[in-house]
Amino acid sequence: MAKGKAPRRTLDSYTLRNINKTIKAGDCVLMRPAERSKPQYVARIERIEADARGGNVKVHVRWYYRPEESIGGRRQFHGSKEVFLSDHYDVQSADTIEAKCTVHSFKSYTKLDAVGNDDFFCRFEYNSATGAFNPDRVAVYCKCEMPYNPDDLMVQCEGCSD
């Protein structure tokens, strides 16, 4: 007789022993890539589940994409720490989480005094099937009419204060 699937239960939080941090739904994390030469993946935890004995912990995640992972690739106005919240969901082992991180709104990111390795920002949602962005437009600045890249120095116009 075939064994049935063991019942799983949802956890409010889970402590990752390898980094001694507690994660919960809504937290953003850095996950180990299959190839060590690639950057860590950024994901938002949607739900945490464990088997009946509390082992075999799985995290349901919603992936953030980096600009180079999107259709159209990285553009001049994309910041080095920019990620897009995608419509791509997945289930992963909690053991693949390497660190917690913070994904800021664009506005709060631009106000940070110092940007750490675990700081990212998101100003778009991304549809992985169509390559569409939401919003599909952002404000442009100065004569170049490019969206603001927080990595580039911008000088304020004396006439309009932009």
Side-chain angles (χ1 to χ4, degrees), residues 6 8 14 49-59 92-95:
R8 300 194 63 81
Y14 177 71
E49 289 183 342
D51 62 18
R53 291 171 294 189
N56 192 18
V57 177
K58 301 283 186 189
V59 288
Q92 297 286 313
S93 169
D95 294 337

Side-chain angles (χ1 to χ4, degrees), residues 34-47:
E35 295 177 42
R36 283 315 237 169
S37 61
K38 296 200 177 218
Q40 294 166 310
Y41 296 114
V42 182
R44 184 174 74 196
I45 296 172
E46 300 291 312
R47 189 169 78 237

Side-chain angles (χ1 to χ4, degrees), residues 113-158:
D113 291 330
V115 175
N117 289 337
D118 58 352
D119 286 311
F120 297 88
F121 74 91
C122 179
R123 60 180 154 181
F124 298 106
E125 287 194 23
Y126 178 69
N127 183 310
S128 59
T130 65
F133 290 94
N134 185 21
D136 59 357
R137 297 170 205 236
V138 291
V140 295
Y141 296 90
C142 80
K143 293 189 293 189
C144 69
E145 295 189 5
M146 290 293 287
Y148 178 53
N149 179 341
D151 297 336
D152 294 338
L153 176 65
M154 297 281 292
V155 179
Q156 186 178 36
C157 172
E158 292 175 8

Side-chain angles (χ1 to χ4, degrees), residues 2 11 15 30 49 90-91 139:
L11 304 176
T15 301
L30 297 172
E49 289 183 342
D90 206 355
V91 179

